[in-house]
Amino acid sequence: MNYENLVPVTGIVRNISQTPRDCCNQMITINTPNGINNFMLTPGSVVIGDTQLRSGMPVTAFYDGSRPVPLIYPPQFQAEIIAPMRNDETVVLNFFRRNLTAADNSLRLNIGRSTEILTLNGQRYSCPPGENFLLVYYSAATRSIPPQTTPRRIIVLCPRPNR
């Protein structure tokens, strides 16, 4: 998966329904400040923390912006990653350099003792997280340039080997 192409949509889960002819897929409806978005959750989609999604839950869903999408309303995307979050949290996906500054200088990370650093499959990550795409959960950031935060959780999106 090319993490550079992932586009975030943040909102509240409104509805979860089975697709009519395929019990392995679900349609997740998310309310956002800009309206409703539908996401197809497939067996290839990743839900962070293997969390059971439910109505009323705040999430950030990521879809591949390079894939074609049907021109329908509300928009419908295939979910690549769904990141359930707390009400006061922000979730960001970006490439972070060795010094833990985002490639676009939008955020700098300060790792705290309580910062949880995991791989996408939930295993503890014990190496320095920089030089990777990181999915970062945080609540507050400074007003400096770049803004700085001590994240609650970091998910390291390790490169997948070519098969």
Side-chain angles (χ1 to χ4, degrees):
M1 178 183 330
N2 187 351
Y3 298 118
E4 290 178 14
N5 295 333
L6 295 185
V7 178
V9 174
T10 300
I12 305 294
V13 175
R14 177 180 178 183
N15 188 39
I16 302 169
S17 59
Q18 293 296 136
T19 56
R21 292 178 295 275
D22 186 352
C23 292
C24 290
N25 294 327
Q26 294 179 320
M27 183 66 69
I28 310 294
T29 302
I30 298 176
N31 277 346
T32 73
N34 299 323
I36 293 173
N37 288 272
N38 287 325
F39 284 87
M40 183 63 67
L41 188 64
T42 68
S45 303
V46 174
V47 178
I48 300 298
D50 292 326
T51 304
Q52 181 71 40
L53 299 175
R54 64 185 187 286
S55 294
M57 176 182 280
V59 298
T60 296
F62 295 88
Y63 67 91
D64 187 341
S66 68
R67 284 187 165 172
V69 295
L71 293 174
I72 58 174
Y73 183 83
Q76 181 176 313
F77 308 101
Q78 180 174 328
E80 298 295 332
I81 298 173
I82 295 185
M85 51 199 227
R86 296 177 180 169
N87 285 325
D88 63 341
E89 277 187 320
T90 300
V91 175
V92 170
L93 173 64
N94 209 323
F95 183 84
F96 284 81
R97 296 186 207 102
R98 191 173 315 281
N99 67 359
L100 298 179
T101 301
D104 61 1
N105 288 319
S106 62
L107 190 64
R108 182 180 170 102
L109 307 179
N110 299 313
I111 305 297
R113 287 185 184 171
S114 63
T115 301
E116 185 179 36
I117 304 174
L118 305 169
T119 62
L120 190 56
N121 64 7
Q123 304 306 302
R124 187 178 316 271
Y125 187 83
S126 57
C127 297
E131 295 300 315
N132 284 297
F133 279 91
L134 304 177
L135 188 64
V136 179
Y137 287 76
Y138 68 96
S139 295
T142 65
R143 292 183 177 218
S144 61
I145 299 177
Q148 296 185 38
T149 189
T150 302
R152 175 178 70 85
R153 177 189 284 174
I154 297 172
I155 307 295
V156 180
L157 303 178
C158 299
R160 291 187 174 170
N162 294 333
R163 292 182 180 178

